[in-house]
Amino acid sequence: MKTIEELLAEGVDGKRVFVRADLNVPLADGSITDDGRIRAVLPTVEALADAGAKVIVASHLGRPKGAPDPQFSLQPAAERLGELLSKPVAFAQDTVGAAAHDAVNGLEPGQVAVIENLRFNAGETSKDDTERGEFADRLAALADVYVSDGFGAVHRKHASVYDLAKKLPAYAGYLIATEVGVLRKLTADVQRPYVVALGGAKVSDKLDVIDKLLGKADRLLIGGGMAYTFLKAKGYEVGISLLQEDQVPTVKEYMERAEKNGVELVLPVDVLVSTDFPDLRTKASANPTTVAADAIPADQEGLDIGPKTRELYASKLADARTVFWNGPMGVFEHPDYAEGTKAVAQALIDSPGFTVVGGGDSAAAVRTLGFDEKAFGHISTGGGASLEYLEGKTLPGLAALED
């Protein structure tokens, strides 16, 4: 795949460069609560602008249903991008209409514009190749060159991710190049011990990656809501904890395969439980108690790993040479249930190995809980994309660049 370094060497002065970013930031009452994804694309945008390109930044945000929806407008992200660049950023209130063309036509070399949410057009996410291709044609009319730098979207076969890369000279931005380089370290010539910590709500979201890792990782540490399906598979009472009963047979088979393959699969030995899920808005919470993992009361819900499990997981990470972490250990958004996620994050920092935080809620937790991002080897911007790469799947956005 060609990279932005090659593009800059060829020269971009005066060229219209379409940058497919991932500005899918969390919003609360119209304000950005975590600007990590915007900051991640800055090196690419700055390099292109400094080289004299007319930079057009595009992204999705949320899941609008193929039509404009004010709650999913990219305007707050465009304003934040301007603040981070310390320069004005034009904003077009449509994707391929008159406003987009006016914004692009008004750019001078070195200037930047953001067009409105790509998913306001049904062609962006269409399953129909023709409809998607037609939207990509309209996007291509805005630019001379395409730069892919939205890693969080490369696992989607969308018009701006896949089709557009085939219609313009295409290059990988700094973020994409970095993400791919990091993920290759997790799949080829891995330094061992290789430890993977997986959390999050649903075990079904992680089955494919667990299946793949049973042949690659040395240890798997399981936490979050998905842990209770594993505990149920061991025959434990899990009370009213999050449980995917239909996945218990698959989880049992994975546990047996882990033992057969010599992969250490580590489950919580104690958990924090409560009768009620905490109110994340008011931070109200029924007093949590700690119980053994095989002694969860029938009317209680597991909401975080307990202190003994935190120590256990830290010990399992202490000698790791390669670590991948995806998914929080509990309801980290509430202070009563954040200690498990904090403990895993700190263990990654203390680990002597190469540590990767696999995007999504894990990356959000690192920032929310106040950790120094530079203390980790790499914080990915794409949770789903990272997992699919580790599963060995072909990611359409990367395949298009390699073509």
Side-chain angles (χ1 to χ4, degrees):
M1 97 182 35
K2 290 184 178 180
T3 68
I4 187 173
E5 294 287 4
E6 294 170 84
L7 173 60
L8 292 170
E10 294 166 8
V12 293
D13 189 25
K15 289 185 178 179
R16 302 170 302 163
V17 181
F18 188 105
V19 177
R20 201 330 180 163
D22 179 8
L23 308 181
N24 186 27
V25 292
L27 297 170
D29 299 322
S31 297
I32 296 168
T33 59
D34 180 358
D35 67 357
R37 286 176 171 165
I38 301 175
R39 286 186 286 111
V41 78
L42 282 179
T44 290
V45 174
E46 287 179 321
L48 291 167
D50 289 348
K54 301 175 180 180
V55 185
I56 305 130
V57 180
S59 175
H60 70 286
L61 192 152
R63 298 193 179 196
K65 298 180 179 179
D69 185 336
Q71 68 177 315
F72 296 118
S73 175
L74 273 176
Q75 188 156 1
E79 292 171 358
R80 181 59 180 149
L81 179 62
E83 291 171 358
L84 293 168
L85 289 171
S86 299
K87 64 179 359 178
V89 168
F91 179 68
Q93 295 186 337
D94 61 24
T95 53
V96 289
H101 281 273
D102 287 347
V104 172
N105 291 338
L107 291 176
E108 296 294 333
Q111 294 184 338
V112 180
V114 174
I115 62 174
E116 186 54 285
N117 193 334
L118 292 162
R119 291 186 183 175
F120 284 2
N121 190 304
E124 169 67 2
T125 60
S126 177
K127 305 278 189 207
D128 182 86
D129 290 349
T130 300
E131 183 181 11
R132 213 176 52 247
E134 288 173 351
F135 181 52
D137 283 335
R138 297 182 71 187
L139 291 172
L142 295 170
D144 306 304
V145 181
Y146 174 79
V147 173
S148 176
D149 215 34
F151 181 74
V154 293
H155 57 315
R156 307 296 188 194
K157 193 174 184 180
H158 290 171
S160 66
V161 176
Y162 176 77
D163 303 84
L164 186 56
K166 294 177 172 291
K167 296 179 182 293
L168 293 172
Y171 301 80
Y174 289 121
L175 177 61
I176 292 280
T178 298
E179 294 273 14
V180 171
V182 166
L183 289 169
R184 282 176 178 157
K185 290 185 179 181
L186 300 178
T187 53
D189 299 321
V190 177
Q191 298 295 305
R192 298 185 181 278
Y194 177 21
V195 184
V196 177
L198 295 176
K202 295 182 179 180
V203 69
S204 56
D205 294 340
K206 306 284 168 64
L207 287 177
D208 287 345
V209 75
I210 293 171
D211 180 54
K212 195 76 173 180
L213 289 168
L214 288 175
K216 292 187 177 293
D218 298 300
R219 296 179 201 133
L220 288 176
L221 314 181
I222 305 295
M226 62 184 283
Y228 301 100
T229 302
F230 280 86
L231 295 175
K232 184 71 172 180
K234 290 191 72 172
Y236 295 173
E237 168 66 58
V238 297
I240 57 172
S241 305
L242 189 61
L243 172 66
Q244 290 186 280
E245 190 85 49
D246 60 323
Q247 302 297 340
V248 169
T250 301
V251 166
K252 279 184 178 177
E253 190 271 323
Y254 282 5
M255 291 165 69
E256 292 167 0
R257 185 142 55 93
E259 185 174 5
K260 180 180 177 181
N261 290 355
V263 176
E264 192 178 358
L265 199 157
V266 189
L267 300 178
V269 294
D270 62 346
V271 296
L272 266 67
V273 298
S274 176
T275 54
D276 295 299
F277 192 87
D279 188 317
L280 301 180
R281 183 174 50 84
T282 65
K283 302 301 181 187
S285 172
N287 291 331
T289 56
T290 301
V291 299
D294 61 355
I296 298 174
D299 65 342
Q300 304 271 312
E301 179 176 13
L303 297 167
D304 194 14
I305 57 174
K308 290 182 180 177
T309 305
R310 292 173 220 150
E311 291 180 10
L312 173 64
Y313 285 12
S315 73
K316 298 296 182 182
L317 290 160
D319 66 342
R321 302 303 301 178
T322 304
V323 182
F324 177 74
W325 169 36
N326 180 278
M329 296 291 108
V331 188
F332 74 91
E333 300 92 340
H334 192 285
D336 287 350
Y337 307 105
E339 293 304 316
T341 301
K342 283 183 182 177
V344 168
Q346 187 61 53
L348 261 71
I349 291 172
D350 295 339
S351 168
F354 179 62
T355 57
V356 179
V357 180
D361 285 342
S362 308
V366 164
R367 290 187 278 269
T368 300
L369 298 175
F371 289 96
D372 181 359
E373 295 179 52
K374 295 178 182 177
F376 302 88
H378 179 69
I379 298 180
S380 179
T381 56
S386 295
L387 288 176
E388 290 197 17
Y389 190 101
L390 294 184
E391 289 162 19
K393 293 181 178 178
T394 297
L395 307 188
L398 298 184
L401 293 177
E402 287 163 357
D403 289 346

